[in-house]
Amino acid sequence: MCHAGRMRIGVLTGGGDCPGLNAVIRAVVRKGIEVYSHEFVGFRDGWRGPLDDDATALDVTAVRGILPRGGTILGSSRTNPYRHDGGVERITQTLARRGIDALVAIGGEDTLGVAGRLYADGVAVVGVPKTIDNDLSATDYTFGFDTAVTVAMEAIDRLHTTAESHHRVLIVEVMGRHAGWIALHAGIAGGANVILIPERPFDIAKVCEYVEHRFATHYAPILVVAEGATPKEGTMAVREGDVDAFGHVRLSGIGTLLEKEIEARTGKEARTTVLGHVQRGGTPTAYDRVLATRFGLHAIDAVHEGRFGTMTALRGTDIGLVSLAEATGVLKTVPPQRYAEAEVFFG
Ligand code: F6P
């Protein structure tokens, strides 16, 4: 199926930003205009754009030079239109008023979840998966993940040398929400002595054993902890965070809790580095630029061919389309056998 005439297409980026968003926007717009002669409108700040009818022109000039730039020229937000009275009607009215035939929604689980619901409500939409967390089950990788892992790995490399000088335990807290992918990959790439992930509640006594063993072999331990990691029930006190518009708890703080507990139990000095949004900022790696560009090219092909309600997905080295419903159904978490590979290097 191929769309015969010129289309007017809206583009938006929602959720936490990540390196590579601009590369997608550029690929969608360049191919859409140069190959298919379509027209584009950029909606600002994710779903807030069509909700509030806040849009900007998106032509080839607007996307010049943005390939290596982090963030998103369109802005982002965690707006959930289904939390606003008449949210869906406001969006469909904006689309009708502006003569928009289709939307390209670039986002993670939440943004694509909304895209799937809007598709069911009659909106022509194609999704592109992004998230540094790499937690979407329908795609092998999301762009942004490789950059986040690279940033964390470089930080771990630097922390190794200062940890050795001061005979300290250095803890690196990384993002990833409820999936341990960033911690796992950064920890393996950076040669961490312990990696703690949400999928495997940790035993603080065992963690302290690893720490002591590491000192006994005359090295200083580096612990990588995912922000969503938790201790086994009843072994350590933890805090509850605030909740956002999609019902997600705001994470962060486990590194500091670990620091105190390790100091108390081992008598060794421990310090925490929370990498936070550093992992999401700045220029994308080559891998992420290529993946983002390919996703953009396939997304505009999908729009042109009228294959709505789908999302681009990487399977091996090929890019295909999966249904949005399938894409957002299940969170992709670290399987036990993948964690076991890393455990060989613990302690
Ligand atoms: O989903 C991406 C992510 O960076 C998570 O790893 C993290 O938990 C969350 O977003 C942080 O969100 P915010 O930027 O709203 O603090």
Side-chain angles (χ1 to χ4, degrees):
M1 175 171 47
C2 191
H3 197 282
R6 168 182 266 217
M7 296 172 85
R8 217 167 142 70
I9 302 161
V11 181
L12 61 87
T13 52
D17 72 342
C18 84
L21 288 169
N22 286 325
V24 180
I25 298 169
R26 169 180 171 270
V28 166
V29 171
R30 287 282 297 274
K31 186 164 187 183
I33 293 175
E34 289 165 9
V35 178
Y36 297 130
S37 303
H38 294 318
E39 280 176 13
F40 291 88
V41 169
F43 284 107
R44 290 200 184 88
D45 303 339
W47 293 116
R48 192 197 65 74
L51 201 61
D52 294 346
D53 195 6
D54 187 359
T56 179
L58 202 53
D59 55 14
V60 171
T61 309
V63 300
R64 285 255 183 262
I66 67 172
L67 171 64
R69 262 172 59 189
T72 160
I73 59 164
L74 295 177
S76 191
S77 74
R78 295 194 191 278
T79 307
N80 182 352
Y82 287 92
R83 285 277 183 100
H84 292 253
D85 283 341
V88 177
E89 292 70 33
R90 278 164 64 188
I91 286 181
T92 48
Q93 277 161 13
T94 298
L95 300 183
R97 196 178 313 120
R98 288 182 172 272
I100 306 252
D101 303 297
L103 280 178
V104 174
I106 312 164
E109 186 203 351
D110 300 328
T111 304
L112 298 177
V114 169
R117 289 178 72 178
L118 284 174
Y119 173 67
D121 286 333
V123 177
V125 56
V126 167
V128 175
K130 70 82 224 179
T131 166
I132 61 164
D133 303 339
N134 198 38
D135 58 356
L136 291 174
S137 57
T139 182
D140 288 352
Y141 284 99
T142 48
F143 66 86
F145 173 66
D146 187 65
T147 306
V149 168
T150 303
V151 168
M153 177 197 72
E154 284 168 359
I156 296 166
D157 287 349
R158 288 174 191 281
L159 291 170
H160 272 294
T161 61
T162 169
E164 299 297 341
S165 308
H166 291 270
H167 317 291
R168 280 174 176 154
V169 183
L170 289 186
I171 299 163
V172 190
E173 183 182 303
V174 297
M175 283 185 163
R177 199 167 262 166
H178 301 297
W181 291 109
I182 297 177
L184 183 76
H185 280 229
I188 292 175
N193 310 115
V194 184
I195 302 169
L196 304 176
I197 61 171
E199 294 83 346
R200 173 81 72 89
F202 62 85
D203 176 349
I204 185 67
K206 188 72 194 160
V207 171
C208 291
E209 246 178 61
Y210 287 138
V211 164
E212 280 169 338
H213 177 261
R214 185 73 178 172
F215 278 119
T217 54
H218 305 291
Y219 288 105
I222 303 281
L223 273 66
V224 175
V225 58
E227 61 181 358
T230 51
K232 281 187 176 162
E233 219 177 314
T235 56
M236 239 178 90
V238 284
R239 287 194 296 256
E240 293 295 322
D242 304 337
V243 172
D244 71 14
F246 285 92
H248 300 298
V249 175
R250 185 174 297 167
L251 299 166
S252 186
I254 186 67
T256 313
L257 294 175
L258 264 172
E259 172 189 305
K260 304 282 171 263
E261 198 74 20
I262 290 171
E263 284 193 340
R265 287 176 183 243
T266 66
K268 300 287 186 192
E269 189 181 4
R271 298 290 178 86
T272 306
T273 303
V274 180
L275 289 181
H277 295 85
V278 167
Q279 294 157 98
R280 288 216 321 240
T283 187
T285 59
Y287 181 90
D288 282 341
R289 291 183 201 190
V290 173
L291 182 59
T293 298
R294 293 184 70 208
F295 273 167
L297 296 174
H298 284 259
I300 192 62
D301 288 347
V303 170
H304 186 73
E305 291 163 11
R307 299 177 69 184
F308 300 115
T310 61
M311 174 194 98
T312 58
L314 179 71
R315 293 275 168 83
T317 54
D318 293 331
I319 293 176
L321 294 177
V322 293
S323 82
L324 277 169
E326 180 191 339
T328 51
V330 189
L331 200 69
K332 182 176 70 188
T333 52
V334 175
Q337 65 275 22
R338 288 293 303 276
Y339 189 66
E341 290 172 358
E343 273 182 305
V344 171
F345 302 97
F346 287 9

